[in-house]
Amino acid sequence: MRRVYVNEEWCLGCHLCEYYCAFANSNEKDMAKALKNVTIHPRIQLEEGNNINFAVSCRHCEEPLCVKGCITGALSIKDGVITADTNKCIGCYTCILCCPYGAISPGEHGVIQKCELCTNNIKGTPHCVVGCPNSAIVFEER
C-alpha cells in the first residue's frame, strides 16, 4: 500500500503541506476561500525539533493501535486506509493517546481528525504531496 512519507532533511518549514491539506478537507473549490475559514484544520502538522522541520501525518499502520484503542468503533481500517466515523466518535481521545506518531488530533466539536489519504485531485496523490515545493513529502510504497 502507498503511504505518505516525509524526508525531514528536505523540508523547508514553509507549512504549504498544511495549507493544501486544509484545502483538501474543506469542500471548497477555491483555496483562498478555504483558507479564510479558520475552522478548517489540516490533517498534517509541521513541527520542529532539534532545528529540523518535520511533518506528522497518519502512517496507516498495518496493526494500528488507534483502531485497537478506539472504544466506540469510530476508527476502522479498510483497504489499508484508517478512517474516522465522526458520528461514532465521542471525543474520548483514547486514539490520540494510542497513536505512537502523534498523527491524530482533536478537530471541530471535539471529534478527532486524521489524514485519510485524500487522493481526489487530478494526480490521484494526496494534496500535501502535490503542494510540497521541495518534494520532501512523497506518496509511495516502501
Side-chain angles (χ1 to χ4, degrees):
M1 182 186 140
R2 292 171 34 164
R3 294 182 171 92
V4 173
Y5 296 99
V6 180
N7 182 338
E8 292 88 2
E9 294 175 6
W10 291 4
C11 181
L12 302 171
C14 66
H15 295 270
L16 280 175
C17 57
E18 293 177 346
Y19 297 129
Y20 276 87
C21 180
F23 172 60
N25 290 288
S26 70
N27 297 324
E28 288 280 351
K29 301 276 187 240
D30 181 11
M31 183 180 260
K33 287 181 183 176
L35 297 179
K36 285 181 183 177
N37 185 348
V38 294
T39 62
I40 300 167
H41 304 285
R43 269 69 165 161
I44 189 170
Q45 295 98 26
L46 194 64
E47 306 206 354
E48 186 178 333
N50 296 329
N51 296 322
I52 296 175
N53 291 305
F54 57 95
V56 176
S57 70
C58 182
R59 299 186 183 191
H60 300 279
C61 307
E62 291 180 18
E63 296 287 327
L65 294 175
C66 61
V67 174
K68 291 178 182 178
C70 182
I71 61 173
T72 63
L75 289 175
S76 62
I77 186 166
K78 183 179 180 185
D79 298 327
V81 178
I82 300 167
T83 57
D85 182 343
T86 56
N87 294 323
K88 290 183 180 178
C89 179
I90 60 171
C92 69
Y93 302 150
T94 304
C95 56
I96 293 174
L97 297 172
C98 291
C99 177
Y101 303 108
I104 304 172
S105 59
E108 216 176 333
H109 308 296
V111 177
I112 59 122
Q113 63 182 21
K114 56 169 290 311
C115 171
E116 295 187 4
L117 292 179
C118 61
T119 55
N120 58 346
N121 57 27
I122 197 162
K123 294 185 177 186
T125 304
H127 287 69
C128 60
V129 176
V130 174
C132 183
N134 209 34
S135 301
I137 304 174
V138 294
F139 185 52
E140 62 188 24
E141 195 164 325
R142 290 188 182 174

